[in-house]
Amino acid sequence: MNTSTTTNTAKYIDNSAAIGIFDSGVGGLSIAKCIAEQLPNEQLIYIADTLHAPYGEKSIAYITERVNIIANQLIAQGVKALVIACNTATVNAIDQLRARVNIPVIGVEPAIKPAVQQSINKKVAVLVTQATSENERFNALVNRYKNGADVFIQPCPGLVEIVESSQISTKHCNELLNQYIEPLLAQGVDNIVLGCTHYPFLQQKIQAIVANRHVTIVETASPVTRQLHKRLTELNIANQCQKAKQVIFYSSKPCSKQQALFSQLWQQSIQLEMFDH
């Protein structure tokens, strides 16, 4: 990717232009895959900022800086919309980004509202990174939608790193998930919200832990895709051309191991390019 030019705004919006999607690493692939499946005419550019991951342990200033650098480069490439496929980046940096760009910016927020609405016990858990758990915007979101329910916020240090290092099948992964989830089950939660885009890749393991407990796992990829489609439609910039979609993948730390992980999570062989900024 050519990163020699930076800009804060797009000069015009081209219907056939790509949608820029980014995350601190591979977690946002769970969002990108849903977008690719449900909006098959759209061209996608995905950036994993792996060199600077995980965001969950970084300061707000650091996260904001990385979000702006990546967004500027995607806008320089002419994207017509941005998707921040990262809960931590969304709660820390989306407001300032929306204030300074003139294309749609879609963020990822934990699906607390639907989880509360469908909870029978009125006890909901949200699995998040440490940075998200401490964020004022996130906590305001919880207070806005809890509607009298008990919402248990569970920071999950280490889970992002497990996904990023392709250690999902390890004993350590199982131990961490049990450590975080069993106390929530003991509290009687019946809905668990996956509040980080990395966590859907752990969903099968989480499902095994809550088996026979009448617990619903709530993810965010589908709502994000619906919101993206809504904004593209409102602005009349959805791609109507019936042609094969193209997805270009970048990483700020590409290597053969990460390319293999991308291919595994995307469920087909991909070529990983260098994002050098």
Side-chain angles (χ1 to χ4, degrees):
M1 174 179 284
N2 177 8
T3 61
S4 60
T5 303
T6 62
T7 181
N8 286 346
T9 60
K11 294 179 181 178
Y12 63 91
I13 298 180
D14 177 2
N15 290 31
S16 64
I19 296 165
I21 307 170
F22 64 95
D23 180 29
S24 62
V26 300
L29 291 175
S30 62
I31 302 291
K33 191 167 182 60
C34 186
I35 293 172
E37 291 170 351
Q38 295 188 22
L39 305 179
N41 293 339
E42 299 295 348
Q43 313 296 306
L44 308 180
I45 299 173
Y46 183 90
I47 296 178
D49 195 20
T50 309
L51 182 63
H52 303 272
Y55 285 174
E57 298 174 0
K58 301 294 195 301
S59 68
I60 294 174
Y62 190 94
I63 294 166
T64 300
E65 179 184 18
R66 292 308 303 167
V67 165
N68 289 339
I69 287 171
I70 295 168
N72 284 348
Q73 300 310 317
L74 284 167
I75 291 172
Q77 295 297 312
V79 299
K80 64 182 178 182
L82 292 168
V83 178
I84 305 180
C86 173
N87 294 79
T88 301
T90 296
V91 298
N92 283 287
I94 194 170
D95 292 336
Q96 61 84 35
L97 181 61
R98 282 175 170 162
R100 60 180 203 85
V101 305
N102 66 350
I103 59 174
V105 181
I106 310 301
V108 180
E109 291 183 338
I112 298 165
K113 184 177 180 180
V116 167
Q117 289 175 337
Q118 65 191 18
S119 174
I120 296 173
N121 298 344
K122 295 305 174 186
K123 292 186 176 184
V124 170
V126 190
L127 307 183
V128 293
T129 66
Q130 191 69 46
T132 296
S133 72
E134 299 168 355
N135 181 267
E136 291 183 7
R137 189 177 191 274
F138 166 71
N139 284 285
L141 186 75
V142 171
N143 290 328
R144 187 185 315 148
Y145 292 129
K146 65 182 181 180
N147 195 28
D150 291 324
V151 178
F152 300 89
I153 300 169
Q154 178 59 61
C156 301
L159 292 188
V160 168
E161 291 87 342
I162 281 173
V163 175
E164 289 288 336
S165 58
S166 193
Q167 299 297 311
I168 295 173
S169 300
T170 64
K171 180 181 178 182
H172 178 55
C173 179
N174 292 337
E175 290 173 344
L176 270 187
L177 286 173
N178 277 286
Q179 175 186 326
Y180 297 142
I181 294 171
E182 288 294 348
L184 299 172
L185 298 177
Q187 292 283 351
V189 303
D190 60 3
N191 276 254
I192 296 179
V193 180
L194 304 182
C196 171
T197 55
H198 284 75
Y199 299 169
F201 294 115
L202 301 169
Q203 187 164 345
Q204 286 188 339
K205 285 186 168 290
I206 296 171
Q207 198 70 58
I209 294 172
V210 304
N212 303 318
R213 308 282 191 104
H214 303 289
V215 173
T216 300
I217 310 298
V218 185
E219 54 82 33
T220 58
S222 295
V224 168
T225 303
R226 286 195 296 271
Q227 178 63 16
L228 173 63
H229 183 251
K230 177 184 176 184
R231 294 292 291 127
L232 296 178
T233 302
E234 288 173 346
L235 295 171
N236 196 29
I237 55 173
N239 190 358
Q240 304 299 330
C241 298
Q242 298 295 320
K243 60 182 179 181
K245 65 179 179 290
Q246 179 185 19
V247 186
I248 305 173
F249 299 93
Y250 292 92
S251 171
S252 56
K253 190 181 179 181
C255 62
S256 58
K257 184 176 181 180
Q258 188 173 60
Q259 181 161 306
L261 177 59
F262 265 69
S263 297
Q264 175 190 342
L265 298 178
W266 196 255
Q267 297 180 315
Q268 69 182 66
S269 180
I270 65 98
Q271 181 64 41
L272 193 57
E273 306 292 341
M274 177 68 179
F275 175 72
D276 56 349
H277 206 291

